[in-house]
Amino acid sequence: MIRRLFRDSKAVLGALIVAIVLTLAAAAPVLAPQDYTETDLGGVWAPPSGEHWLGGDKLGRDILSRLIVGARVSVIAAGSVLAVTFAIGVTVGMLAGYLGGPIDTVLMRVTDVVLAYPELIFAILVTAVLGAGLGSVILSLSLAWWPGIARLTRSLVLALRHEAFLDAAVACGTPTGKILLRHVLPNIVPALIVRAAIGVGFIVMAEATLSFLGIGVQEPTPSWGGMIRDGLEGLRTDPYLALFSSVALGVTILGFNLLGDGLRDALDPSVMDR
Amino acid sequence: MRALAVACVLAAMAIAPPVADAKMLRVNIVADPAMIDPITYSELVATNVMRPMYEGFTRTRDDGASEPALATGWSFSADNKVLTFRLRDGVRFHSGRPFGAKDVKYTFEELLRPGNKGGLNAPSLKTIAGAAEFADGKATGISGIRVIDPLTVEIDFVRPDVLFPIYPFQFMDSGTVAELGPDWMTKASAGTGPYKFVRWTRGVEVEEAANPAYWGGAPKIDGIHFLVVPSGDTALSMYDAGELDYVEVPESSFRRVLADDRYARELLKVGKAQVNYLGMNQSLYAPFRDIRVRQAMSLAIDRAAMIKGLFNNAAIPLNGQVTPGVAGFHDGLPPLAFDPARAKQLMADAGFPDGKGLPTVQITSTAPFKDEITYLAGQFKRVLGMPVEVNVVERATHIRAMNAGEEALFPWGWTADYPDAQTFLGAMWTSGSPYNRTRYKNPEFDRIMADAQLAGDANKRYALYGEAEKVLMADWATAPLPITTYVALRKPNVHGLTETPFGFSSFQPVVID
Amino acid sequence: MLTYAARRLAVMVPTLAIVVLLVFFATRAMPGDPIGVMLSDHSADLVLASRLRAEYGLDRPLGEQLGHYFLGLLTGDLGLSFRYLHVSVAAVLASGIRVSLTLATLALALAVPLGVAGGVLAAVRRNRWQDNTIMATMIGMISVPNFALATFLVYLFSIRLHVLPVAGWGTVAQAVLPTLVLALPAAAYIGRLARSFMLEVLRQDYIRAARAKGLSPTAIVLGHALRNTMVPLSTSIGVVFGGLLSATFVVETLFNIPGLGRLAIDSIFGRDYPVISAIVLLFTVFYALINLGVDLLYAAIDPRIRLA
């Protein structure tokens, strides 16, 4: 499987981009050449130079440092949303799929309600209630995304429901919790990984969109979406901010999407060509 | 494929063809007005759209002085408690009905009528005799307003208010509601101004047409389109593309406009009748009770750097709380310095060396002022060692919290409602004013301001304002912040259009080649 | 078929009722005071504020407000806007609905043929340069956020080349850029699906049989494979449409288009509760109806699906 992934040059490119973004995010405090909050009104919209490699923003802050810290913010947001959605979604999906009956009905009706909204609109609504900020962005995207994971998990579990090894485990009197963790979960993990890998790009984009609309991450914390919006003001005179932050965001999402496609092809041969 | 063709045809039908207008002035407004009638009127976008349609006793000239409009003259009684207005003869409303004393009385009563949403101008009527009883539903009319003859109206005051003639009232036609019904404002305008209402397409534009019967002379253009363009950057792009004739440039686009030579010929710059200040609420953040801390805050701000870096030199420093150009401004106040060493010393004297012992405080404002508060927070942190968090909130939340006295530290401003320093000093710094957002209280200041409101003689009044302002600044009640100038662009073929310290003019003298 | 549609609609009702409930409480829980917005800078007038609060029913208990809102919905009355005095929500929304639906329809009308053509071509030319180019373009298209794409297109076509207007709504030229920005990512999404469905179809026995009979590749693809690709593809139209509705929030704001998306963002910042509720509700209903329509369509084209 790994070998198949490595034969796929697009996936390798994706993995490389993702690795760079993750490294930047993890080591942001060390890598950022300057304090990302340090304003310098003498150097507003500074062009790229030895002092500011990618120039300065409209408060004279170092764009490169803010991009690097912005990577950390994106990764934290995406990672948290993935963790929360999968924790809730997989638990709910397994319980609904395995136990069936009224529990299944109730849980699925709950997902129906959330899925009745287009995802981003639901997230915008929740963010509007919670107020702007990284925490509420994570919470609102998680609330919007978990039902999809729950539905997927449920369908995967239903497909396993009548496999011989499960019947055997039940016949041996294995407790339900143990069956779910030991027998069901390992069998659905590959499909879940594929879903997660494909989802990351969308989550990064959703976070950026909320911040772009002004209801996401707030100053002085940099978010790529917010930086693009700030950069639009200077698009004609000083396009560096808009340009560099758009590229950072676009390339990152591209990296996650390429890797996601590659993982899907490698882990799930039945949908190899999708 | 057929579905696609059908969709395209449908779409093409839904999109109206472009309208070619010969002599229509196209200007931008940042949002839909919240209302378009003179009774509920209460906000700035509505001001811009309504100023061409409605008029009051007086109007503000471009130089900031008042001149008679619908009143040709007025006189106060000896004790200033009775005010008699002589109204302009021959003025007609957009409906064709003549304007007169009955319309003044009608407008004032509608502003205070229980159940009406009387807006910005309603509080100005509080000092009229019988106003309170009428507003409480205990009287059928305001007893203090008397129609002497069709062109003379006499008003009794409980408490004299020498500024009453210059308040920005908008008189409306008393026959309109009877003719057009309660939703008249969606159909017509009921004013006397040089332009009249045509239509309001929500989210798109407000359209007004020239009033050929205007008493001051018919406009020389056919009308005005106020196009709703929320983004200043988009508005500027539309101006570049010839889709707007006149555009007010937002601060965020100053750099783009001022640095570009091709705009030089089309540029208009005018000082704003607005003050900006740093609000410091002494009851919410204990260190502000020490005058040395308040002074240190002011000393920590590099106003020259703000003017250059944030506003591209299209701003002026303010050393007090009255803007140059507004009657009652005094030039003598000492300039406010940027002196980090002295600020640090004052903090140490106050018992907070390098900020040790200072609790965390939030600096709050709305999204358009995000850069300003980010800069100020950094400055207070760096110079004073004060732990300041940036808190960007939505406008309504901010205004409510400020009015309720719930914000500790905030930069905000006040735009003049009328051309007299009372508009600034009275509203923001007298104790008990609903807009005293820092809850500043100084009995001496209050006493001087109360005296000023009774001073019919303008020069005496202005001298009192000067005294009050000195008290305010000696107290370091606030740290005044720079005010930006209005920056606007006007196409070369548009003439007679001036930006005033008070915003848009009435557009009456505009000519388009 | 009709019974099925009726049943689906019946199931939708309780879900939508809960959606209404959630939206109602969400808008009430938003920070900020709508009366403060109405009064703007002069919100310190407490008498006026309490008078307005009473007039708009905001001083009533929450339960009563909710009951009133539900009753209003049943009679088609969405209430009064908080931001525009004297104006009903229906009047505020009226023109926006037409604008947003026009925009979404235009985008869909462009995205579907573009995506299907691209996807089919890529599948037919699998692993050749055409496939690689198309797939690379498509993954790029779904990776670039719409606001970044819009910025780039405005910069290129409006500011540099002066061929299209920067913003606005009303002329055909003004519709070009926003439609493109909405359509391109949707087309890429559809194209990627179309390619994989087509590849799956091309592996089927009946295609091999047709090929063995000597039918030309074009005839096979257009005559047999395409129809069977469209069947599974049609189920994804709902997702695409939901994405388009969400994207209108950004695109309408950027291009200053007076549709529901921009109105929604303005209303969130302006605390216009009744308008926010109505827009979310409308979008949710559109979304539900489209999904229902897709299911029905799916059943209609694929005889194997039984609507029991």
Side-chain angles (χ1 to χ4, degrees):
Chain A
M1 172 204 116
I2 296 290
R3 207 182 312 141
R4 186 152 66 201
L5 190 62
F6 275 94
R7 273 210 311 267
D8 180 350
S9 60
K10 280 178 290 185
V12 172
L13 178 64
L16 196 67
I17 295 171
V18 170
I20 293 173
V21 172
L22 291 180
T23 311
L24 286 178
V30 186
L31 289 177
Q34 289 169 32
D35 178 358
Y36 68 94
T37 61
E38 178 86 20
T39 60
D40 169 21
L41 294 189
V44 296
W45 295 116
S49 67
E51 191 193 350
H52 299 294
W53 289 4
L54 299 183
D57 72 1
K58 59 179 176 171
L59 285 173
R61 295 175 297 194
D62 186 50
I63 292 177
L64 177 61
S65 304
R66 290 182 68 74
L67 278 181
I68 293 174
V69 177
R72 191 186 181 85
V73 172
S74 274
V75 168
I76 288 175
S80 310
V81 172
L82 276 187
V84 176
T85 49
F86 275 78
I88 304 176
V90 171
T91 310
V92 169
M94 286 207 301
L95 289 176
Y98 187 77
L99 298 176
I103 294 180
D104 183 28
T105 312
V106 170
L107 290 175
M108 286 307 107
R109 285 296 83 79
V110 174
T111 62
D112 273 349
V113 170
V114 181
L115 289 171
Y117 300 91
E119 283 165 345
L120 192 65
I121 291 173
F122 184 78
I124 288 173
L125 189 68
V126 177
T127 319
V129 174
L130 297 175
L134 184 56
S136 47
V137 167
I138 292 171
L139 196 55
S140 64
L141 292 181
S142 301
L143 282 174
W145 250 278
W146 75 266
I149 309 299
R151 286 293 185 83
L152 173 71
T153 309
R154 176 175 175 272
S155 64
L156 292 170
V157 172
L158 283 181
L160 288 178
R161 195 73 184 80
H162 299 291
E163 293 283 334
F165 70 92
L166 274 191
D167 291 341
V170 174
C172 293
T174 320
T176 308
K178 202 169 173 185
I179 293 180
L180 287 178
L181 284 178
R182 289 273 176 81
H183 301 287
V184 176
L185 192 57
N187 280 291
I188 61 175
V189 157
L192 290 176
I193 290 180
V194 169
R195 179 71 162 84
I198 293 168
V200 183
F202 286 100
I203 295 171
V204 170
M205 193 185 287
E207 181 273 311
T209 304
L210 290 177
S211 298
F212 177 82
L213 289 173
I215 49 183
V217 177
Q218 299 291 304
E219 290 284 357
T221 311
S223 154
W224 290 343
M227 290 172 74
I228 293 175
R229 188 191 46 183
D230 289 348
L232 286 184
E233 281 174 14
L235 189 63
R236 287 155 201 254
T237 45
D238 316 89
Y240 314 109
L241 180 57
L243 196 72
F244 292 134
S245 41
S246 294
V247 169
L249 180 60
V251 168
T252 301
I253 297 173
L254 182 67
F256 279 117
N257 285 344
L258 287 173
L259 182 63
D261 279 9
L263 275 175
R264 180 179 50 196
D265 295 350
L267 283 174
D268 196 352
S270 67
V271 287
M272 198 171 126
D273 289 309
R274 279 188 201 178
Chain B
M1 227 33 179
R2 192 183 304 151
L4 173 62
V6 170
C8 287
V9 170
L10 282 176
M13 278 161 53
I15 301 174
V19 188
D21 293 313
K23 300 274 179 172
M24 296 295 281
L25 181 72
R26 296 159 304 171
V27 303
N28 65 315
I29 47 180
V30 295
D32 276 305
M35 73 288 294
I36 201 159
D37 74 274
I39 305 304
T40 61
Y41 157 68
S42 65
E43 51 94 36
L44 287 171
V45 177
T47 308
N48 292 334
V49 174
M50 292 174 68
R51 193 166 284 163
M53 300 192 288
Y54 292 92
E55 297 173 300
F57 291 126
T58 55
R59 61 181 171 204
T60 307
R61 285 205 315 246
D62 287 0
D63 63 3
S66 293
E67 64 180 11
L70 295 184
T72 50
W74 55 87
S75 58
F76 281 98
S77 64
D79 63 355
N80 281 342
K81 282 197 166 177
V82 184
L83 174 56
T84 311
F85 284 100
R86 186 73 199 153
L87 302 177
R88 191 175 292 277
D89 196 5
V91 175
R92 286 184 180 275
F93 282 111
H94 297 154
S95 60
R97 285 182 284 267
F99 161 79
K102 63 179 189 318
D103 302 296
V104 173
K105 185 171 163 65
Y106 174 82
T107 303
F108 285 170
E109 288 182 348
E110 288 308 298
L111 279 167
L112 290 181
R113 188 176 296 287
N116 277 9
K117 307 174 194 81
L120 175 56
N121 283 318
S124 307
L125 305 175
K126 274 192 308 208
T127 51
I128 298 179
E133 290 77 2
F134 178 74
D136 288 346
K138 291 179 198 142
T140 51
I142 303 176
S143 59
I145 303 175
R146 285 184 304 277
V147 175
I148 304 294
D149 65 51
L151 291 176
T152 310
V153 63
E154 204 171 82
I155 303 173
D156 292 346
F157 289 86
V158 181
R159 192 158 49 83
D161 185 351
V162 297
L163 297 177
F164 196 82
I166 65 168
Y167 289 154
F169 296 117
Q170 297 177 328
F171 293 116
M172 89 170 255
D173 183 349
S174 55
T176 304
V177 177
E179 184 197 356
L180 298 172
D183 61 342
W184 62 271
M185 69 290 290
T186 60
K187 302 170 195 161
S189 45
T192 55
Y195 294 89
K196 47 190 185 183
F197 179 82
V198 176
R199 74 177 67 83
W200 173 11
T201 314
R202 216 167 302 283
V204 182
E205 65 160 354
V206 175
E207 187 184 338
E208 295 172 14
N211 170 16
Y214 181 57
W215 60 268
K220 295 173 191 68
I221 57 172
D222 299 322
I224 311 170
H225 289 288
F226 291 96
L227 298 172
V228 180
V229 188
S231 151
D233 200 58
T234 306
L236 211 48
S237 303
M238 289 170 71
Y239 177 83
D240 285 346
E243 295 162 29
L244 283 172
D245 301 306
Y246 177 82
V247 64
E248 211 173 87
V249 181
E251 282 163 25
S252 55
S253 299
F254 276 6
R255 181 181 173 81
R256 177 173 148 196
V257 169
L258 297 171
D260 196 334
D261 283 342
R262 78 197 155 100
Y263 290 127
R265 237 164 44 88
E266 302 166 16
L267 195 64
L268 290 175
K269 277 168 79 174
V270 137
K272 265 184 200 170
Q274 180 191 328
V275 292
N276 287 341
Y277 63 98
L278 181 69
M280 294 180 274
N281 188 318
Q282 301 179 23
S283 44
L284 292 181
Y285 189 65
F288 288 155
R289 283 177 211 154
D290 191 321
I291 189 171
R292 290 168 294 193
V293 174
R294 301 201 296 272
Q295 186 180 358
M297 297 288 283
S298 179
L299 290 168
I301 302 168
D302 188 349
R303 294 174 174 83
M306 285 179 80
I307 289 172
K308 183 168 180 295
L310 288 179
F311 310 126
N312 260 65
N313 294 325
I316 55 163
L318 196 62
N319 299 318
Q321 280 294 280
V322 181
T323 343
V326 173
F329 169 74
H330 288 269
D331 206 3
L333 290 166
L336 298 172
F338 169 53
D339 189 344
R342 172 122 182 78
K344 282 189 173 68
Q345 183 59 48
L346 282 168
M347 291 305 282
D349 294 348
F352 306 108
D354 295 321
K356 278 191 191 68
L358 283 172
T360 301
V361 62
Q362 283 192 330
I363 185 166
T364 311
S365 199
T366 57
F369 303 97
K370 184 177 63 123
D371 298 330
E372 214 170 306
I373 59 174
T374 307
Y375 164 73
L376 290 172
Q379 215 51 19
F380 297 142
K381 206 180 286 178
R382 198 159 29 181
V383 178
L384 309 178
M386 182 179 278
V388 184
E389 281 172 6
V390 173
N391 183 27
V392 177
V393 294
E394 165 282 317
R395 183 180 162 84
T397 314
H398 184 52
I399 287 173
R400 194 206 58 78
M402 279 193 305
N403 287 346
E406 290 166 5
E407 285 184 2
L409 180 61
F410 55 93
W412 201 243
W414 187 267
T415 303
D417 288 324
Y418 47 89
D420 185 282
Q422 166 86 27
T423 192
F424 300 126
L425 297 173
M428 287 183 303
W429 306 107
T430 50
S431 63
S433 160
Y435 306 112
N436 181 340
R437 289 159 170 165
T438 60
R439 298 297 185 262
Y440 172 73
K441 188 175 166 67
N442 182 329
E444 196 191 350
F445 180 86
D446 288 350
R447 185 187 53 76
I448 304 171
M449 289 307 294
D451 287 350
Q453 211 173 8
L454 301 180
D457 175 54
N459 288 327
K460 189 180 159 207
R461 196 165 70 236
Y462 300 157
L464 286 168
Y465 292 150
E467 261 179 64
E469 202 180 8
K470 277 199 191 100
V471 171
L472 189 73
M473 292 314 298
D475 237 357
W476 291 104
T478 181
L481 296 171
I483 14 169
T484 53
T485 37
Y486 279 117
V487 175
L489 293 171
R490 181 189 52 187
K491 289 285 181 196
N493 64 334
V494 176
H495 307 283
L497 175 54
T498 47
E499 183 80 36
T500 83
F502 298 85
F504 281 141
S505 69
S506 70
F507 297 107
Q508 193 261 340
V510 172
V511 177
I512 300 177
D513 290 342
Chain C
M1 188 81 167
L2 273 178
T3 5
Y4 173 73
R7 191 145 33 117
R8 278 290 305 271
L9 278 171
V11 174
M12 251 168 71
V13 170
T15 308
L16 285 180
I18 299 174
V19 165
V20 175
L21 202 68
L22 278 182
V23 170
F24 178 85
F25 283 111
T27 49
R28 273 357 182 231
M30 284 178 196
D33 178 8
I35 301 294
V37 181
M38 282 186 215
L39 297 172
S40 189
D41 256 348
H42 297 267
S43 65
D45 188 333
L46 297 178
V47 179
L48 184 59
S50 67
R51 207 194 282 158
L52 279 177
R53 192 160 281 119
E55 187 159 334
Y56 277 79
L58 291 172
D59 58 342
R60 317 304 303 168
L62 214 53
E64 196 180 322
Q65 291 184 38
L66 177 64
H68 192 259
Y69 187 65
F70 259 110
L71 278 180
L73 279 186
L74 292 180
T75 55
D77 175 12
L78 294 162
L80 285 176
S81 160
F82 285 174
R83 198 159 46 121
Y84 301 113
L85 296 177
H86 309 297
V87 180
S88 73
V89 172
V92 174
L93 297 184
S95 60
I97 294 179
R98 202 186 60 171
V99 171
S100 288
L101 282 183
T102 307
L103 190 57
T105 312
L106 277 175
L108 205 59
L110 180 63
V112 172
L114 200 64
V116 170
V120 168
L121 184 63
V124 174
R125 294 271 178 266
R126 187 180 175 196
N127 289 338
R128 289 199 240 159
W129 68 267
Q130 294 97 327
D131 182 25
N132 291 332
T133 315
I134 290 172
M135 291 310 285
T137 313
M138 283 181 173
I139 198 162
M141 258 12 289
I142 60 166
S143 299
V144 177
N146 47 18
F147 47 91
L149 179 65
T151 304
F152 173 74
L153 292 179
V154 167
Y155 191 71
L156 184 65
F157 290 106
S158 308
I159 297 176
R160 284 270 160 256
L161 302 176
H162 297 286
V163 288
L164 288 169
V166 177
W169 185 255
T171 67
V172 174
Q174 281 171 328
V176 174
L177 286 183
T179 306
L180 268 182
V181 171
L182 281 175
L184 289 179
Y189 180 85
I190 295 171
R192 279 158 58 91
L193 287 178
R195 176 177 177 274
S196 61
F197 290 141
M198 179 56 98
L199 286 178
E200 217 156 289
V201 171
L202 290 179
R203 272 201 295 270
Q204 303 295 318
D205 291 340
Y206 65 90
I207 298 292
R208 290 197 191 137
R211 208 173 276 151
K213 277 198 297 186
L215 275 175
S216 79
T218 320
I220 291 173
V221 168
L222 294 182
H224 297 78
L226 189 57
R227 184 185 150 90
N228 287 306
T229 306
M230 292 308 284
V231 173
L233 196 61
S234 63
T235 58
S236 66
I237 298 295
V239 179
V240 173
F241 192 74
L244 284 178
L245 288 180
S246 303
T248 57
F249 280 62
V250 172
V251 171
E252 290 180 357
T253 303
L254 268 170
F255 286 98
N256 196 30
I257 295 170
L260 294 184
R262 194 187 100 191
L263 189 61
I265 294 290
D266 290 351
S267 303
I268 285 175
F269 286 117
R271 308 290 121 187
D272 201 342
Y273 300 162
V275 172
I276 305 170
S277 314
I279 293 174
V280 172
L281 212 57
L282 266 178
F283 275 11
T284 310
V285 171
F286 287 157
Y287 189 52
L289 288 178
I290 281 279
N291 278 323
L292 173 64
V294 162
D295 284 357
L296 296 178
L297 185 73
Y298 191 52
I301 18 189
D302 190 341
R304 284 173 303 177
I305 308 285
R306 277 190 17 245
L307 300 174

